[in-house]
Amino acid sequence: LMYRKASNNPVRQPLARMALILDGDKKLSEELLDVLLSEVNIKAVDPSIARLKEGGIHDISGAGVPAPISAIYVDLNVTSELHLEGEIRKLERAIQGKRKDMGMKVGEMARLIYNPANDDEDKAFAAIDAKKTYISEIKKGAGDAGTFELEKVD
């Protein structure tokens, strides 16, 4: 997580893959790997990237790697699909923050009117998880670009 912050790559931006090189014949359980991937927001473990070491593959081992891990490699290449997923998460977080500022409770429905600044933002707003954000209706508005409004629904 510290490396993501230092590389200006927020945790809400999903990444495709990472490699963990373990000491000797040690293995991590599937459960532990799932928790790790979830915490660092990386889709999969791919040991083959440790051999690449180029084109966005970074060795982030450093001095803080706990045993039995001897090296960690992360693919920092962000595809358009991963970028969109990161934008969706950023918007969902902003919506949840606005709901909180409005004093809305969990389960209270709202209508979302969004004003995209560009095509990527338009796609992200259209793909927001309405169930998770308690949005009953999502519609495009004509307000200031890059903004959105929430209206409580009775």
Side-chain angles (χ1 to χ4, degrees):
L1 295 177
M2 290 184 332
Y3 184 80
R4 286 186 74 139
K5 186 174 184 177
S7 67
N8 199 24
N9 198 316
V11 176
R12 74 177 160 266
Q13 175 58 62
L15 297 174
R17 57 197 179 146
M18 70 182 295
L20 297 172
I21 309 303
L22 303 177
D23 295 331
D25 61 349
K26 306 262 187 201
K27 291 190 180 226
L28 297 178
S29 71
E30 287 297 318
E31 291 169 341
L32 183 56
L33 282 174
D34 288 345
V35 169
L36 176 64
L37 291 173
S38 175
E39 286 297 313
V40 296
N41 197 13
I42 296 178
K43 301 286 186 185
V45 172
D46 179 359
S48 71
I49 70 169
R51 294 187 299 274
L52 299 175
K53 299 180 190 171
E54 60 187 37
I57 308 299
H58 294 267
D59 181 351
I60 62 167
S61 303
V65 176
I69 300 170
S70 60
I72 302 172
Y73 297 90
V74 177
D75 182 352
L76 294 178
N77 293 306
V78 178
T79 64
S80 58
E81 292 84 10
L82 290 171
H83 176 74
L84 177 61
E85 190 175 330
E87 287 299 306
I88 292 166
R89 287 183 182 190
K90 182 171 79 174
L91 292 173
E92 287 174 346
R93 184 177 170 141
I95 289 167
Q96 297 294 29
K98 188 155 201 150
R99 289 176 59 84
K100 182 178 178 183
D101 293 346
M102 293 172 64
M104 294 183 73
K105 295 181 174 81
V106 173
E108 282 186 287
M109 300 303 286
R111 180 178 301 110
L112 171 69
I113 299 116
Y114 70 96
N115 310 297
N118 53 49
D119 288 341
D120 286 345
E121 202 171 85
D122 191 22
K123 289 177 191 172
F125 270 114
I128 285 171
D129 184 339
K131 185 175 180 182
K132 182 167 82 174
T133 54
Y134 298 100
I135 301 295
S136 62
E137 180 183 357
I138 300 174
K139 68 182 197 176
K140 196 172 184 176
D144 293 338
T147 63
F148 70 90
E149 297 173 30
L150 287 180
E151 298 172 351
K152 288 184 182 181
V153 175
D154 295 327

